[in-house]
């Protein structure tokens, strides 16, 4: 009854609610943060608790400094989020801001690189981005991605190239897919880009981007046996 019929493994812990600290901007980049390990994850209205927990888990695993959430329209911190995070919710630095756009702009003015995950035509492949720079990685909601004003607040937009280009060649061979006029056509390039990004959900995309930006910096070449879990 206490856990509302969710799996509990025979143990229930009654704990006080987690309290996040309000943040207006990240402090100016210091020499210590220039070692390539300083990275914050900013989530723009991520509503799904499973995705939020999975992102926090990946952020903690790869060594991100912290996670910033929107004060409104974000999944509340709950037992579902904690379980999806494998407990890292209790360990991760968590902050919230009332205005994500102002937070990103102010932090960029303080020397932070702000990378937004987007399917925009202005996005560049993540492998073209150099790691080792103090960065805020901004990810949008599951349905609509980054809000337009948030996207414009980023210093650069990035995307994850997929491996399904062969499947979209048939679209290119069939000519225009939305009409005969150029104003109604969709180029194969745009179509491929759309498919490549949309095949990943936000928590999976977070893991890929985090590995590129800071995961390689933390690699010591040792035993990797503890990196995979069925939990």
């Amino acid at each position: 009854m206490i856990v509302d019929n969710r799996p509990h493994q025979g143990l229930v812990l009654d704990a006080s609610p987690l309290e996040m600290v309000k943040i207006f901007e990240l402090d100016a980049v210091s020499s210590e943060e220039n070692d390539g390990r300083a990275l914050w994850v900013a989530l723009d209205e991520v509503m799904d608790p499973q995705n939020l927990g999975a992102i926090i888990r990946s952020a903690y695993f790869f060594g991100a400094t912290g996670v910033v959430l929107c004060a409104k329209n974000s999944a509340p911190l709950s037992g579902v989020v904690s379980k999806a995070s494998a407990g890292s919710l209790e360990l991760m630095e968590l902050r919230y801001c009332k205005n994500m756009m102002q937070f990103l702009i102010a932090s960029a003015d303080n020397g932070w690189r702000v990378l937004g995950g987007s399917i925009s035509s202005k996005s560049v492949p993540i492998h073209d981005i150099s790691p080792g720079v103090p960065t805020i990685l901004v990810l949008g909601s599951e349905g609509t991605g980054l809000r337009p004003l948030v996207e414009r607040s980023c210093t650069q937009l990035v995307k994850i190239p997929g491996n399904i280009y062969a499947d979209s060649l048939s679209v290119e061979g069939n000519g225009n897919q939305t009409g005969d006029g150029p104003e109604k056509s969709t180029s194969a390039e745009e179509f491929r880009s759309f498919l490549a990004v949309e095949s990943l959900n936000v928590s999976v995309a977070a893991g890929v981007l985090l590995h590129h930006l800071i995961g390689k910096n933390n690699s010591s070449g040792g035993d990797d046996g503890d990196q995979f879990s069925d939990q």
Side-chain angles (χ1 to χ4, degrees), residues 11 26-27 32 41 43 47 49 52 55 59 70 73 84 93 95 110 113 120-121 137 146 161 207-208 212 223 231:
L11 180 67
L26 293 180
D27 294 335
E32 294 180 356
V41 179
L43 302 180
M47 297 289 294
L52 176 57
I55 293 170
C70 293
N73 298 326
E93 291 288 337
R95 303 290 187 269
N110 286 338
R113 177 176 66 177
S120 167
S121 59
L137 175 61
L146 296 176
V208 174
H212 175 80
D223 183 15
Q231 298 298 318

CSV table of all heavy atoms in Angstrom, one decimal, residues 11 26-27 32 41 43 47 49 52 55 59 70 73 84 93 95 110 113 120-121 137 146 161 207-208 212 223 231:
chain,number,residue,atom,x,y,z
A,11,LEU,N,11.6,-3.7,0.7
A,11,LEU,CA,12.2,-2.6,1.6
A,11,LEU,C,11.6,-1.3,1.2
A,11,LEU,O,11.5,-1.0,0.0
A,11,LEU,CB,13.7,-2.5,1.4
A,11,LEU,CG,14.4,-1.5,2.2
A,11,LEU,CD1,14.3,-1.8,3.7
A,11,LEU,CD2,15.9,-1.3,1.8
A,26,LEU,N,25.6,30.1,-13.9
A,26,LEU,CA,26.8,29.5,-13.5
A,26,LEU,C,27.9,30.5,-13.3
A,26,LEU,O,28.0,31.5,-14.1
A,26,LEU,CB,27.2,28.4,-14.4
A,26,LEU,CG,26.3,27.2,-14.6
A,26,LEU,CD1,26.9,26.2,-15.6
A,26,LEU,CD2,26.1,26.5,-13.2
A,27,ASP,N,28.7,30.3,-12.3
A,27,ASP,CA,29.8,31.3,-12.1
A,27,ASP,C,30.8,31.3,-13.3
A,27,ASP,O,30.8,30.4,-14.1
A,27,ASP,CB,30.5,30.9,-10.8
A,27,ASP,CG,29.7,31.1,-9.6
A,27,ASP,OD1,28.7,31.9,-9.6
A,27,ASP,OD2,30.0,30.4,-8.5
A,32,GLU,N,40.3,25.8,-12.7
A,32,GLU,CA,40.0,24.4,-12.4
A,32,GLU,C,39.0,23.8,-13.3
A,32,GLU,O,39.1,22.6,-13.6
A,32,GLU,CB,39.5,24.4,-10.9
A,32,GLU,CG,40.5,24.8,-9.9
A,32,GLU,CD,40.0,24.7,-8.5
A,32,GLU,OE1,38.8,24.3,-8.3
A,32,GLU,OE2,40.7,24.9,-7.5
A,41,VAL,N,24.3,19.6,-17.2
A,41,VAL,CA,23.2,19.2,-18.1
A,41,VAL,C,22.0,20.0,-17.7
A,41,VAL,O,21.5,20.1,-16.5
A,41,VAL,CB,22.8,17.7,-17.9
A,41,VAL,CG1,21.7,17.3,-18.8
A,41,VAL,CG2,24.0,16.8,-18.2
A,43,LEU,N,18.0,20.7,-18.5
A,43,LEU,CA,16.8,20.0,-19.1
A,43,LEU,C,15.7,20.9,-19.3
A,43,LEU,O,15.2,21.5,-18.3
A,43,LEU,CB,16.5,18.8,-18.3
A,43,LEU,CG,17.6,17.7,-18.1
A,43,LEU,CD1,17.1,16.6,-17.2
A,43,LEU,CD2,18.1,17.2,-19.4
A,47,MET,N,9.5,16.0,-19.0
A,47,MET,CA,8.3,15.7,-18.2
A,47,MET,C,8.3,14.2,-17.7
A,47,MET,O,7.7,13.9,-16.7
A,47,MET,CB,7.0,16.0,-18.9
A,47,MET,CG,6.8,17.5,-19.2
A,47,MET,SD,6.5,18.5,-17.7
A,47,MET,CE,4.9,17.8,-17.3
A,49,PRO,N,9.2,11.0,-16.0
A,49,PRO,CA,10.1,10.7,-14.8
A,49,PRO,C,11.1,9.6,-15.1
A,49,PRO,O,12.3,9.6,-14.6
A,49,PRO,CB,9.1,10.2,-13.7
A,49,PRO,CG,7.9,9.8,-14.5
A,49,PRO,CD,7.8,10.7,-15.7
A,52,LEU,N,13.9,11.4,-17.0
A,52,LEU,CA,14.7,12.2,-16.1
A,52,LEU,C,15.6,11.4,-15.2
A,52,LEU,O,16.8,11.7,-15.1
A,52,LEU,CB,13.7,13.0,-15.2
A,52,LEU,CG,14.3,13.9,-14.1
A,52,LEU,CD1,15.3,14.9,-14.7
A,52,LEU,CD2,13.3,14.6,-13.3
A,55,ILE,N,18.5,10.1,-17.3
A,55,ILE,CA,19.5,11.2,-17.6
A,55,ILE,C,20.4,11.5,-16.4
A,55,ILE,O,21.6,11.6,-16.5
A,55,ILE,CB,18.8,12.4,-18.1
A,55,ILE,CG1,18.1,12.2,-19.5
A,55,ILE,CG2,19.7,13.6,-18.2
A,55,ILE,CD1,17.2,13.3,-19.9
A,59,ALA,N,24.4,11.2,-16.3
A,59,ALA,CA,25.1,12.3,-15.9
A,59,ALA,C,26.1,12.0,-14.7
A,59,ALA,O,27.3,12.4,-14.7
A,59,ALA,CB,24.2,13.5,-15.5
A,70,CYS,N,14.0,23.0,-15.1
A,70,CYS,CA,13.1,24.1,-15.1
A,70,CYS,C,12.2,24.1,-13.9
A,70,CYS,O,11.8,23.0,-13.4
A,70,CYS,CB,12.2,24.1,-16.4
A,70,CYS,SG,13.0,24.4,-17.9
A,73,ASN,N,6.9,22.7,-15.4
A,73,ASN,CA,6.8,21.8,-16.6
A,73,ASN,C,8.0,20.8,-16.6
A,73,ASN,O,8.5,20.5,-17.7
A,73,ASN,CB,6.7,22.6,-17.9
A,73,ASN,CG,5.5,23.4,-18.0
A,73,ASN,OD1,4.4,23.0,-17.4
A,73,ASN,ND2,5.6,24.6,-18.6
A,84,ALA,N,14.6,5.0,-11.4
A,84,ALA,CA,15.2,5.1,-12.8
A,84,ALA,C,16.6,5.6,-12.8
A,84,ALA,O,17.4,5.2,-13.6
A,84,ALA,CB,14.3,6.0,-13.6
A,93,GLU,N,24.3,16.7,-8.0
A,93,GLU,CA,24.0,18.1,-7.7
A,93,GLU,C,22.8,18.5,-8.6
A,93,GLU,O,22.9,18.5,-9.8
A,93,GLU,CB,25.2,19.0,-8.1
A,93,GLU,CG,26.4,18.8,-7.1
A,93,GLU,CD,26.2,19.4,-5.8
A,93,GLU,OE1,25.3,20.3,-5.7
A,93,GLU,OE2,26.8,19.0,-4.8
A,95,ARG,N,19.9,21.6,-9.5
A,95,ARG,CA,19.5,23.0,-9.4
A,95,ARG,C,18.3,23.2,-10.2
A,95,ARG,O,17.9,22.4,-11.0
A,95,ARG,CB,20.6,23.9,-9.9
A,95,ARG,CG,22.0,23.7,-9.2
A,95,ARG,CD,21.9,24.2,-7.8
A,95,ARG,NE,23.3,24.2,-7.2
A,95,ARG,CZ,23.7,23.2,-6.5
A,95,ARG,NH1,23.0,22.1,-6.3
A,95,ARG,NH2,24.9,23.2,-5.9
A,110,ASN,N,29.4,34.2,-18.9
A,110,ASN,CA,30.4,33.9,-17.9
A,110,ASN,C,31.5,32.9,-18.5
A,110,ASN,O,32.3,32.4,-17.7
A,110,ASN,CB,29.8,33.3,-16.7
A,110,ASN,CG,29.1,34.4,-15.9
A,110,ASN,OD1,29.4,35.6,-16.0
A,110,ASN,ND2,28.2,34.0,-15.0
A,113,ARG,N,30.4,27.3,-22.7
A,113,ARG,CA,29.9,26.9,-24.0
A,113,ARG,C,28.5,26.2,-23.8
A,113,ARG,O,28.4,25.3,-23.0
A,113,ARG,CB,30.8,25.9,-24.7
A,113,ARG,CG,30.3,25.4,-26.0
A,113,ARG,CD,31.4,24.5,-26.7
A,113,ARG,NE,31.6,23.3,-25.9
A,113,ARG,CZ,32.4,22.3,-26.3
A,113,ARG,NH1,33.1,22.4,-27.4
A,113,ARG,NH2,32.6,21.2,-25.6
A,120,SER,N,17.7,20.9,-35.9
A,120,SER,CA,17.7,22.1,-36.7
A,120,SER,C,18.8,21.9,-37.8
A,120,SER,O,19.8,21.2,-37.6
A,120,SER,CB,18.0,23.3,-35.9
A,120,SER,OG,18.4,24.4,-36.7
A,121,SER,N,18.5,22.5,-39.0
A,121,SER,CA,19.5,22.5,-40.1
A,121,SER,C,20.8,23.2,-39.7
A,121,SER,O,21.8,22.9,-40.3
A,121,SER,CB,18.9,23.2,-41.3
A,121,SER,OG,18.6,24.5,-41.0
A,137,LEU,N,25.2,21.3,-21.5
A,137,LEU,CA,24.5,20.5,-22.5
A,137,LEU,C,23.0,20.7,-22.3
A,137,LEU,O,22.5,20.3,-21.2
A,137,LEU,CB,24.9,19.0,-22.4
A,137,LEU,CG,24.1,18.1,-23.3
A,137,LEU,CD1,24.4,18.4,-24.8
A,137,LEU,CD2,24.6,16.6,-23.0
A,146,LEU,N,13.8,21.3,-27.9
A,146,LEU,CA,14.0,22.6,-27.3
A,146,LEU,C,13.0,23.6,-27.7
A,146,LEU,O,12.6,23.6,-28.9
A,146,LEU,CB,15.4,23.1,-27.6
A,146,LEU,CG,16.6,22.2,-27.2
A,146,LEU,CD1,17.9,22.8,-27.7
A,146,LEU,CD2,16.7,22.2,-25.6
A,161,PRO,N,24.4,11.9,-35.5
A,161,PRO,CA,24.2,11.2,-36.8
A,161,PRO,C,23.8,9.8,-36.6
A,161,PRO,O,24.4,9.1,-35.8
A,161,PRO,CB,25.5,11.4,-37.5
A,161,PRO,CG,26.3,12.4,-36.8
A,161,PRO,CD,25.8,12.3,-35.4
A,207,GLY,N,23.0,10.1,-23.0
A,207,GLY,CA,24.2,9.2,-22.8
A,207,GLY,C,25.2,9.3,-23.9
A,207,GLY,O,26.4,9.4,-23.6
A,208,VAL,N,24.8,9.4,-25.1
A,208,VAL,CA,25.7,9.5,-26.3
A,208,VAL,C,26.4,10.8,-26.2
A,208,VAL,O,27.7,10.8,-26.4
A,208,VAL,CB,24.9,9.3,-27.6
A,208,VAL,CG1,25.8,9.6,-28.8
A,208,VAL,CG2,24.3,8.0,-27.7
A,212,HIS,N,30.7,11.5,-25.4
A,212,HIS,CA,31.6,12.2,-26.3
A,212,HIS,C,32.2,13.4,-25.6
A,212,HIS,O,33.4,13.7,-25.7
A,212,HIS,CB,30.8,12.7,-27.5
A,212,HIS,CG,31.7,13.6,-28.4
A,212,HIS,ND1,32.6,13.1,-29.3
A,212,HIS,CD2,31.8,15.0,-28.5
A,212,HIS,CE1,33.2,14.1,-29.9
A,212,HIS,NE2,32.7,15.2,-29.5
A,223,ASP,N,39.5,-1.8,-15.9
A,223,ASP,CA,38.4,-2.7,-16.0
A,223,ASP,C,37.0,-2.0,-16.2
A,223,ASP,O,36.7,-1.2,-15.4
A,223,ASP,CB,38.4,-3.6,-14.8
A,223,ASP,CG,37.3,-4.7,-14.8
A,223,ASP,OD1,36.8,-4.9,-16.0
A,223,ASP,OD2,37.0,-5.3,-13.8
A,231,GLN,N,19.8,-3.3,-14.2
A,231,GLN,CA,18.8,-2.6,-13.3
A,231,GLN,C,18.2,-1.5,-14.0
A,231,GLN,O,18.9,-0.8,-14.8
A,231,GLN,CB,19.5,-2.2,-12.0
A,231,GLN,CG,20.1,-3.3,-11.2
A,231,GLN,CD,19.0,-4.3,-10.7
A,231,GLN,OE1,18.0,-3.8,-10.3
A,231,GLN,NE2,19.2,-5.6,-10.8
